[in-house]
């Protein structure tokens, strides 16, 4: 299998009209410029705060490119079209920056509703949630730092555990798998501990729960090694979703602010090596670990393909999934699917204002010089040239 499998732009953009492609080109031309992204982010947040009517511009541009719609119905056509191309969907109803217990209960209710509405749809094998949609960020931070909780906080934490348990149990009973997103370093220890508890409880017969491992952190391989050693004889399977990590700049700022050593690899090259080393570690322990590789990096996806070959596994091995975000890495998703691999795209949906933090993360990630965003432009240009 050569690297060229990701170069087939006809397959990659089959679902996109010429107008869609011109829009995408315009969008990527803007968001690859860090300076412009920074100014536009400020203008957008200001406008939303003061009810200046800019939602329609967002909807026609960045929102439409990266999101499925404001509700489930609006996503249906996209889900069906992707499936026709062999690509599965993971619906992500976005709720961020919640603060009260009622908010967290509502977030859980919404996630459960989505599972109920989609559990019989075999185009949607996974559900996903962001841990801090089920509890206060500061509470996760306290638990991660081993700070003793007062009685009220103990109750709150108990509620967080119950919400984790409820959603994972519900996913299992609905025959769905569930991905637990990774967040900032200062809250991740408590998330890891809860995710482990969920894996112990729900991954006994098959892998239901996947925890996310951020490989821009230099300590994650030793974390996985320690789990594999500690639970050598345990009767549950690990599910790991491997990502590089989305909070690079924030992590560096937090480390300086709080006076600890940055948990992030010193360079992109080190992150890349860490990522590929982790893939090797997982494949060495394949009988005990199921993998979801979440990346737009062609090299990393190719490393997994090579491992599948090396270990004589089927392309559609049920324990190996590839994942990209809707609106990114189409050349990877659709070409993997064409070659028989399991692929799913995360399809965020919800009101425009709820999705702003997500969209800002996408814009900032694409404006980073060390990302793959220029690759998107090259591919879109190539497809437009092919069609003209
Ligand atoms: C399906 C899916 C699910 C995801 N879920 C999560 C999640 O739960 N939590 C989360 O944090 N992220 C998540 N992400 C985002 C992910 O962590 C990356 O930010 C994003 O995918 C870009 O990395 P890449 O592997 O695609 O490719 P690349 O473009 O090759 O890598 C870019 C990444 O490399 C790292 N990097 C860049 N510069 C440096 C540097 N100077 N030093 C060290 N490292 C550097 C950063 O992590 C950066 O995001 C998800 C991504 C996908 C596709």
């Amino acid at each position: 299998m050569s690297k060229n499998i990701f170069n087939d732009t006809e397959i990659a953009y089959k679902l996109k009209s010429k107008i869609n492609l011109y829009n995408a080109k315009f969008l990527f031309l803007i968001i690859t410029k860090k300076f412009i992204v920074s100014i536009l982010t400020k203008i957008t947040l200001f406008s939303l705060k003061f009810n200046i009517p800019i939602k329609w511009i967002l909807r026609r541009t960045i929102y439409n490119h990266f999101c499925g719609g404001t509700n489930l119905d609006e996503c249906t056509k996209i889900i069906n079209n992707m499936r026709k191309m062999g690509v599965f969907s993971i619906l992500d109803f976005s709720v961020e920056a919640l603060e009260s217990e009622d908010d967290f209960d509502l977030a859980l209710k919404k996630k459960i509703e989505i599972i109920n509405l989609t559990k019989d749809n075999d185009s949607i094998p996974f559900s996903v949630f962001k841990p801090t949609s089920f509890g206060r960020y500061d509470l996760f931070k306290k638990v991660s730092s081993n700070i003793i909780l007062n009685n009220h906080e103990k109750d709150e934490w108990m509620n967080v555990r119950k919400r984790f348990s409820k959603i994972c149990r519900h996913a299992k009973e609905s025959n769905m798998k569930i991905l637990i997103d990774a967040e900032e370093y200062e809250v991740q220890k408590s998330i890891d501990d809860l995710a482990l508890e969920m894996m112990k409880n729900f991954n006994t017969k098959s892998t239901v729960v996947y925890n996310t491992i951020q490989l821009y952190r230099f300590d994650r391989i030793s974390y996985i090694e320690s789990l594999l050693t500690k639970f050598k004889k345990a009767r549950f399977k690990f599910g790991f979703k491997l990502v590089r990590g989305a909070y690079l700049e924030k992590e560096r700022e937090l480390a300086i602010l709080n006076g600890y050593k940055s948990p992030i690899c010193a360079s992109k090259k080190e992150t890349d090596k860490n990522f590929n080393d982790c893939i090797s570690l997982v494949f060495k322990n394949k009988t005990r670990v199921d993998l979801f590789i979440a990346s737009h990096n062609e090299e990393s996806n190719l490393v997994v393909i090579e491992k599948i070959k090396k270990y004589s596994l089927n392309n559609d091995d049920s324990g190996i999934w590839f994942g990209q975000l809707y609106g990114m890495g189409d050349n990877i998703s659709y070409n993997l699917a064409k070659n028989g691999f399991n692929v799913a795209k995360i399809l965020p949906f919800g009101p425009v204002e709820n999705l702003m933090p997500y969209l800002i993360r996408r814009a900032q990630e694409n404006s980073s010089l060390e990302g793959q965003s220029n690759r998107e432009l090259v591919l879109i240009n190539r497809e437009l040239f092919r069609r003209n």
Side-chain angles (χ1 to χ4, degrees), residues 158-211:
M158 189 57 79
N159 288 338
V160 173
R161 285 181 64 191
K162 280 186 190 157
R163 292 184 192 110
F164 264 65
S165 226
K166 267 192 188 157
I167 193 78
C168 293
R169 175 170 294 110
H170 198 71
K172 187 180 170 114
E173 288 169 359
S174 309
N175 274 331
M176 280 180 103
K177 296 171 180 293
I178 189 154
L179 305 170
I180 303 178
D181 278 349
E183 302 196 45
E184 288 84 346
Y185 169 75
E186 61 182 3
V187 293
Q188 192 57 40
K189 163 90 175 58
S190 55
I191 297 172
D192 288 339
D193 291 347
L194 283 176
L196 180 61
E197 196 180 318
M198 299 303 124
M199 287 195 259
K200 283 183 196 165
N201 291 343
F202 301 111
N203 287 5
T204 46
K205 293 210 172 87
S206 63
T207 309
V208 173
V209 180
Y210 290 67
N211 190 25

Side-chain angles (χ1 to χ4, degrees), residues 198-299:
M198 299 303 124
M199 287 195 259
K200 283 183 196 165
N201 291 343
F202 301 111
N203 287 5
T204 46
K205 293 210 172 87
S206 63
T207 309
V208 173
V209 180
Y210 290 67
N211 190 25
T212 301
I213 306 293
Q214 294 162 314
L215 289 142
Y216 63 6
R217 280 182 56 174
F218 54 74
D219 61 351
R220 294 290 80 184
I221 288 192
S222 54
Y223 171 64
I224 294 185
E225 280 170 341
S226 70
L227 287 180
L228 288 167
T229 308
K230 188 166 175 194
F231 297 100
K232 207 168 192 150
K233 297 217 165 91
R235 291 192 177 179
F236 68 93
K237 213 166 175 180
F238 292 103
F240 293 133
K241 170 181 139 212
L242 306 189
V243 300
R244 279 183 168 72
Y247 305 94
L248 181 75
E249 284 170 21
K250 187 171 176 193
E251 290 297 5
R252 290 190 168 144
E253 282 164 18
L254 281 174
I256 293 171
L257 194 73
N258 298 316
Y260 56 77
K261 184 174 180 239
S262 166
I264 307 298
C265 292
S267 65
K268 169 78 164 68
K269 210 171 156 193
E270 278 183 32
T271 297
D272 291 345
K273 183 177 180 309
N274 214 25
F275 197 93
N276 294 345
D277 287 350
C278 191
I279 293 171
S280 298
L281 174 65
V282 167
F283 271 88
K284 268 189 207 135
N285 294 280
K286 187 67 195 59
T287 52
R288 298 175 58 206
V289 182
D290 277 352
L291 170 71
F292 186 108
I293 164 151
S295 173
H296 304 128
N297 182 303
E298 293 180 11
E299 204 58 51

